[in-house]
């Protein structure tokens, strides 16, 4: 289950790397890495973490009482795996030089 997001994105990564020219390859890789990074952390912090907290807090009053702990642990395990993947993609962004560009909004004064 943790690797499903990575395997779903693999064809996108392959297509982006084979369809771009060598001059645009770095920029396309940076954009794709940023997109995957944003998706990973967006899914973790906007969906999985709140779902696990709500399940842990309010799951006692539902039909999921027996499986509440297992669901919470499973959801948080997927969240940790996606967080690690998002961190790896942030390292890729930096190594590709996405933040070294002069037109990067983070570094403009």
């Amino acid at each position: 289950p943790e690797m499903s997001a990575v395997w779903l994105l693999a064809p996108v990564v392959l297509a982006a790397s084979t369809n771009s020219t060598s001059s645009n390859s770095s920029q396309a890789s940076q954009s794709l890495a940023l997109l995957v990074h944003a998706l990973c952390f967006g899914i973790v912090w906007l969906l999985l973490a709140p779902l696990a907290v709500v399940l842990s807090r309010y799951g006692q009053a539902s039909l999921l009482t027996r499986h509440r702990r297992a669901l919470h642990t499973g959801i948080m395990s997927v969240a940790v795996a996606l967080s690690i993947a998002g961190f790896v993609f942030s390292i890729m962004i930096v190594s590709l030089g996405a933040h070294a560009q002069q037109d990067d909004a983070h570094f403009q004064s």
Side-chain angles (χ1 to χ4, degrees):
E2 296 93 20
M3 296 300 292
S4 62
V6 175
W7 288 112
L8 287 174
L9 293 172
V12 176
V13 173
L14 183 62
S17 65
T18 57
N19 290 339
S20 58
T21 63
S22 61
S23 64
N24 293 331
S25 179
S26 179
Q27 187 175 3
S29 297
Q30 291 170 359
S31 298
L32 184 62
L34 184 61
L35 175 68
V36 174
H37 166 80
L39 284 174
C40 286
F41 280 111
I43 290 169
V44 167
W45 291 111
L46 297 176
L47 180 69
L48 296 178
L51 179 63
V53 170
V54 167
L55 183 65
S56 179
R57 174 66 175 97
Y58 301 107
Q60 296 173 351
S62 71
L63 298 173
L64 300 172
T65 303
R66 286 181 45 193
H67 304 290
R68 178 176 56 99
R69 183 166 177 92
L71 283 171
H72 172 79
T73 303
I75 291 169
M76 291 309 292
S77 297
V78 172
V80 167
L82 283 176
S83 293
I84 292 169
F87 178 73
V88 168
F89 277 99
S90 69
I91 300 292
M92 285 177 53
I93 293 166
V94 172
S95 69
L96 290 170
H99 291 293
Q101 295 176 0
Q102 294 295 326
D103 60 345
D104 191 349
H106 288 94
F107 296 106
Q108 289 181 353
S109 54

